[in-house]
Amino acid sequence: MSISYKNLSVVIVSFHSEDVIHNCIKSIKDKIEITVVENSGNKDFTRKLEEKYKNVKCILPPKNLGMGAGNNLGLNHINTDYVFILNPDVILKKNTIEEIIIASKKIENFGIIAPISDNLKYHNYKIDKKNELPNFIDPFKVDSVDGFAMILNLRKLKKVDQFKDNNFFDENIFLYLENDDLCKRIGKYENIFIVPKSKINHLGASGVNKKYSEQIELSRNWHWIWSKFYFNKKHYGFLKAFFDGLPSFLSAILKVLFYSLFKQKKKAIYFHRVLGFLNALIGKKSYHRPKINN
């Protein structure tokens, strides 16, 4: 069975994304059901979304779940064979889904299939350097895709024991590398494809209202270091995680000392990197959350 409009739905995890999510939703055909998991707890925002778009339903979790757990929650509320995981700052082109549908009819086995970013400087996939370069016309296999735009083949993946209960994303990861972790696990069982004729525009780091940018920047720096350590430890062992993260940790310490003299905001950013590494090192959970009040 290939992808069609009838068996495809969309899950968007958002957090104070009112500035960008409307353009994302408008780029999706209204025949496709969209589930928005709003991590901010903003009832007024979700009410307005559901009133404005007939194909949108919203879920308000009791706390900020982050990306991984937020996507898992959304997946538990859909019944289609395929689900398009999207970030709120992604805009689909007119033929994005059509090209995915066409490709899915030609590819027999895939666990994930994804469009390609229209920004050629920043690929939304990783591929082994040993493999031949793709022709960027036909769908090609990759090792992983970025989590801001990818379609999961639930029909196939739910046959794998670890994915039976919609437990796709590792909920220990709050932010960053949750998609790499998922792709690494799915890649053991199914292929992952990029469809170069299917394109999307990703604004990048624009999913949260700009008035919260300072807190979001601190959170990103904390979680990037934490998630990188956790990912490496999980898949390659403690020593790999430690020595891979050590240069960034030492650099962050030096920058904290340097910026203490005259740039407190810069100091705070690098201090959060230090904290992210130390917490991952001693095995603490990814507890940091941006300090934002609705």
Side-chain angles (χ1 to χ4, degrees):
M1 181 185 295
S2 59
I3 300 172
S4 69
Y5 285 108
K6 291 182 179 180
N7 62 14
L8 175 67
S9 58
V10 172
V11 169
I12 302 172
V13 175
S14 63
F15 181 69
H16 292 290
S17 306
E18 56 271 17
D19 287 350
V20 293
I21 197 170
H22 292 284
N23 287 333
C24 177
I25 292 173
K26 288 174 183 176
S27 72
I28 303 166
K29 293 187 184 300
D30 59 12
K31 64 179 75 174
I32 299 175
E33 294 295 320
I34 301 170
T35 298
V36 175
V37 179
E38 176 53 48
N39 273 323
S40 71
N42 190 333
K43 294 181 180 179
D44 186 54
F45 171 56
T46 54
R47 177 183 58 79
K48 289 178 179 178
L49 281 182
E50 291 181 333
E51 288 176 354
K52 186 170 184 176
Y53 306 104
K54 293 181 179 179
N55 60 325
V56 171
K57 63 179 180 179
C58 297
I59 302 171
L60 278 170
K63 62 179 181 179
N64 186 355
L65 299 176
M67 295 302 294
N71 276 315
N72 282 344
L73 178 61
L75 287 165
N76 274 301
H77 285 77
I78 63 164
N79 298 305
T80 52
D81 291 324
Y82 304 90
V83 60
F84 204 159
I85 303 293
L86 283 177
N87 279 16
D89 59 349
V90 170
I91 300 173
L92 277 58
K93 305 292 184 179
K94 287 184 178 180
N95 65 339
T96 299
I97 293 178
E98 283 81 356
E99 291 294 345
I100 289 284
I101 290 173
I102 292 170
S104 73
K105 293 177 180 178
K106 299 177 181 177
I107 304 169
E108 293 185 2
N109 296 306
F110 66 90
I112 295 177
I113 191 168
I116 197 168
S117 172
D118 64 358
N119 189 338
L120 299 179
K121 292 182 179 180
Y122 300 101
H123 297 307
N124 62 318
Y125 61 87
K126 295 184 182 73
I127 190 169
D128 195 321
K129 293 180 180 179
K130 297 178 182 178
N131 295 338
E132 292 184 14
L133 288 174
N135 59 24
F136 294 102
I137 298 174
D138 302 314
F140 58 91
K141 292 181 184 179
V142 296
D143 296 313
S144 66
V145 296
D146 286 345
F148 57 74
M150 61 180 182
I151 294 177
L152 302 182
N153 185 344
L154 301 184
R155 186 165 161 268
K156 269 191 170 293
L157 294 176
K158 285 184 179 180
K159 295 177 181 179
V160 180
D161 285 341
Q162 65 172 293
F163 301 129
K164 279 184 178 179
D165 298 321
N166 286 330
N167 189 28
F168 288 93
F169 293 90
D170 184 339
E171 297 190 5
N172 290 315
I173 302 174
F174 180 80
L175 182 67
Y176 292 124
L177 298 179
E178 73 281 345
N179 58 294
D180 290 79
D181 173 76
L182 177 61
C183 288
K184 196 164 187 65
R185 289 183 286 119
I186 286 179
K188 296 177 181 178
Y189 307 97
E190 299 290 344
N191 295 316
I192 301 171
F193 281 90
I194 282 284
V195 181
K197 289 184 179 180
S198 175
K199 294 181 172 61
I200 50 94
N201 175 243
H202 180 223
L203 301 179
S206 302
V208 183
N209 192 309
K210 291 180 181 178
K211 67 182 179 180
Y212 305 123
S213 59
E214 188 172 333
Q215 276 295 317
I216 295 301
E217 185 66 17
L218 296 179
S219 181
R220 283 172 177 156
N221 277 271
W222 196 101
H223 284 287
W224 170 245
I225 296 297
W226 188 97
S227 296
K228 188 177 180 182
F229 191 102
Y230 175 86
F231 176 86
N232 281 329
K233 181 182 176 182
K234 177 179 180 179
H235 294 287
Y236 306 111
F238 179 85
L239 289 179
K240 165 69 174 174
F242 178 76
F243 287 111
D244 192 63
L246 187 60
S248 295
F249 171 65
L250 295 176
S251 174
I253 290 176
L254 292 175
K255 288 176 180 178
V256 167
L257 296 173
F258 177 73
Y259 286 118
S260 294
L261 301 174
F262 54 94
K263 286 189 178 181
Q264 294 304 308
K265 287 185 178 180
K266 284 281 189 180
K267 173 192 171 183
I269 287 172
Y270 290 107
F271 184 63
H272 278 69
R273 290 190 188 182
V274 171
L275 290 178
F277 182 87
L278 289 175
N279 279 278
L281 181 68
I282 62 176
K284 292 196 73 172
K285 293 182 178 180
S286 55
Y287 65 83
H288 184 275
R289 301 294 181 266
K291 297 175 182 178
I292 296 173
N293 295 318
N294 289 332

